[in-house]
Amino acid sequence: MADPARRAAYLGALGIDQWVPRRPLTPVAVAAVAAVAAVAPASASSPVTEDPWSALQACVRDCRRCGLHEGRTQAVFGAGSRAAEWMVVGEAPGEEEDRQGEPFVGASGQLLTAMLAAIGLQRDSVFIANVLKCRPPGNRDPKPAEVAECLPHLEQQVAMVQPRLILAFGRVAAQNLLGTEATLGSLRGVVHRFGPLNTPVVVTYHPAYLLRSPGEKRKAWEDLKFARQVFADLPSRD
Ligand code: SF4
């Protein structure tokens, strides 16, 4: 992904050729941008004049902060609208995501798309990311040290996108986003908060789990309806 043509194609595939914030950057977003500049590796493909979103992408693409870079095909930055009002956060790339460079592909990705559609959301209207950007071997759970190294990337994505609500899919995503070891069952049906912006977080089951346990889809539907109501009750930003 080092050569500019391939990189441009990749950015184009994600629909993120140019970063245009939908509102002025908050102090938190400005701080995130500064943090990106501080950690982004200096290279010909990530000049200091690059826009903050592209700089963050380059930072993730080239990241070697934890050992997971050794086994990845590529880091999976995330995909979707940078003007998204909803952000979806999952655990980590699986085998197919690692290969394609996209989050939530395959059967679980199709179910995610259907779950979003059930509450009136087009997949490309949300931003989809994972707690970890690189695939853990054998799809094992992330290690705390890996999360500690990678979570700042997600924090910076949240600071730049400024979603109004985060949907956390699955136990691992929820526990690591919220810094808790509580069970997923106990985290459902409650509005949590993430990051300096106190972004509301609603927790539900991971689509991959629902494919293995279709009897739990009813509970997931309850969670989605809860999230939709939480979003509807948010105070207007205008
Ligand atoms: S998982 Fe995150 S911290 Fe680890 S190498 Fe990948 S991008 Fe870097």
Side-chain angles (χ1 to χ4, degrees):
M1 297 290 290
D3 97 69
R6 288 187 64 198
R7 182 159 179 274
Y10 177 63
L11 295 178
L14 295 181
I16 43 183
D17 293 320
Q18 184 180 355
W19 183 55
V20 181
R22 60 194 163 92
R23 67 182 68 83
L25 288 179
T26 65
V28 171
V30 171
V33 169
V36 172
V39 299
S43 73
S45 60
S46 57
V48 293
T49 54
E50 204 164 30
D51 73 79
W53 188 261
S54 295
L56 179 57
Q57 286 185 304
C59 180
V60 170
R61 181 198 61 208
D62 298 336
C63 179
R64 297 182 171 214
R65 288 194 213 168
C66 82
L68 293 179
H69 77 273
E70 295 172 0
R72 71 187 177 202
T73 303
Q74 58 195 316
V76 179
F77 180 77
S81 170
R82 281 170 291 155
E85 295 194 310
W86 294 67
M87 184 178 278
V88 165
V89 177
E91 175 180 341
E95 183 177 8
E96 201 53 39
E97 286 83 5
D98 170 75
R99 187 161 29 234
Q100 296 190 28
E102 293 271 352
F104 283 96
V105 298
S108 68
Q110 290 172 6
L111 180 53
L112 173 72
T113 302
M115 293 169 76
L116 295 173
I119 52 172
L121 295 172
Q122 297 275 344
R123 180 175 169 127
D124 60 6
S125 73
V126 308
F127 190 82
I128 304 174
N130 286 310
V131 171
L132 286 189
K133 308 307 186 197
C134 302
R135 181 193 178 207
N139 295 337
R140 63 159 170 76
D141 282 0
K143 296 178 180 176
E146 294 163 349
V147 173
E149 292 296 338
C150 208
L151 200 58
H153 293 137
L154 181 65
E155 291 169 343
Q156 290 159 8
Q157 289 174 316
V158 171
M160 291 188 194
V161 175
Q162 300 181 56
R164 302 197 73 200
L165 189 141
I166 295 172
L167 267 175
F169 281 86
R171 173 186 62 83
V172 172
Q175 289 180 336
N176 286 297
L177 267 182
L178 303 175
T180 178
E181 295 186 353
T183 63
L184 186 129
S186 69
L187 295 172
R188 294 178 54 236
V190 179
V191 180
H192 307 275
R193 298 280 167 175
F194 176 77
L197 295 174
N198 276 327
T199 308
V201 178
V202 172
V203 171
T204 190
Y205 296 96
H206 196 285
Y209 171 78
L210 295 173
L211 289 171
R212 297 192 302 271
S213 308
E216 302 286 52
K217 285 184 179 177
R218 184 183 54 78
K219 291 185 190 172
W221 173 231
E222 290 171 4
D223 297 335
L224 293 171
K225 286 190 294 183
F226 175 65
R228 187 171 59 183
Q229 190 58 51
V230 170
F231 185 88
D233 291 342
L234 291 173
S236 169
R237 270 177 166 168
D238 300 325

